[in-house]
Amino acid sequence: MGFYSANTLEQKRVKQLTGDINIHDMFKNECNARGIPIYNAYNIQKRLIHEVEQEELVGVDNVDARLMELLEERGKNKVTHRYVDFVSREDSASKGVVPAMPEQEEKLPPKEQIKIPPRARDGKTFKTDDELPEMEMLKKIMLQNKKIINQNKIIIDLLKKQGENND
């Protein structure tokens, strides 16, 4: 049985770049180089996670671009390199993820073409015993009695056979 991770590619990329619960040392060093306090590093991480969860950022490239925007926005010192280039994309790429279902048109025909079959027995309603006329009530009772008599005959035959076997 395999293990399935519910994390999307974007969520994995955010964790790869910034860290999970604790911030990665490389991200801390980058924030220190830019003059960003540690609490702002946590805020950047939370902001990225929030935007990914709200599906504002779709795609790994958008996550990288947004992280660089946030770093440059909060940073006090200019840095010549791009932080996201240091972190490999292959590590955050998901292996064996079930691909998203492609957008398909509705397979159902329009409502006008759908015919709903009638209910069981063509939608007939059956009268209760109080509503039945006297003749129909007698027929119903006779039918029930015939069924009981037939069942009793079968039981008597089985008892006779069993009695013969015991002798």
Side-chain angles (χ1 to χ4, degrees):
M1 181 194 284
F3 175 73
Y4 178 74
S5 175
N7 291 340
T8 62
L9 292 174
E10 293 85 6
Q11 288 172 329
K12 288 182 180 182
R13 185 66 177 163
V14 169
K15 287 181 184 176
Q16 187 72 27
L17 291 170
T18 62
D20 196 2
I21 295 170
N22 299 318
I23 291 181
H24 286 310
D25 291 334
M26 196 161 66
F27 186 61
K28 280 183 190 175
N29 294 339
E30 181 66 24
C31 289
N32 287 336
R34 291 176 183 265
I36 300 173
I38 191 70
Y39 64 88
N40 271 343
Y42 279 106
N43 290 342
I44 290 171
Q45 180 189 33
K46 287 179 187 176
R47 183 78 214 153
L48 277 175
I49 291 171
H50 176 72
E51 288 179 8
V52 166
E53 286 174 353
Q54 297 299 317
E55 297 179 359
E56 294 174 17
L57 295 176
V58 178
V60 177
D61 295 331
N62 292 341
V63 172
D64 291 354
R66 182 65 178 142
L67 175 63
M68 291 310 298
E69 283 176 24
L70 291 172
L71 285 173
E72 289 169 11
E73 180 182 303
R74 304 269 174 103
K76 296 178 177 119
N77 306 335
K78 285 289 178 191
V79 179
T80 57
H81 62 272
R82 277 178 50 92
Y83 168 69
V84 294
D85 294 337
F86 291 132
V87 182
S88 69
R89 288 179 179 236
E90 289 80 31
D91 294 343
S92 63
S94 182
K95 296 169 185 69
V97 169
V98 179
M101 286 191 61
E103 295 294 325
Q104 296 179 357
E105 297 177 18
E106 277 194 46
K107 294 180 182 177
L108 297 175
K111 285 187 177 181
E112 297 82 38
Q113 292 180 3
I114 297 175
K115 294 180 181 176
I116 300 173
R119 291 188 179 180
R121 298 193 187 180
D122 300 326
K124 288 183 191 173
T125 56
F126 297 100
K127 297 179 180 177
T128 61
D129 289 343
D130 299 336
E131 298 169 347
L132 285 175
E134 199 170 317
M135 279 304 288
E136 286 188 33
M137 183 66 120
L138 290 173
K139 287 180 186 176
K140 186 175 176 183
I141 292 172
M142 284 178 55
L143 183 65
Q144 287 176 345
N145 286 339
K146 282 184 185 177
K147 287 180 184 177
I148 293 172
I149 290 170
N150 287 338
Q151 288 174 347
N152 287 340
K153 285 181 184 176
I154 294 170
I155 292 172
I156 289 171
D157 289 341
L158 290 172
L159 287 174
K160 283 182 184 176
K161 286 180 185 176
Q162 200 169 22
E164 291 172 2
N165 291 339
N166 289 341
D167 290 340

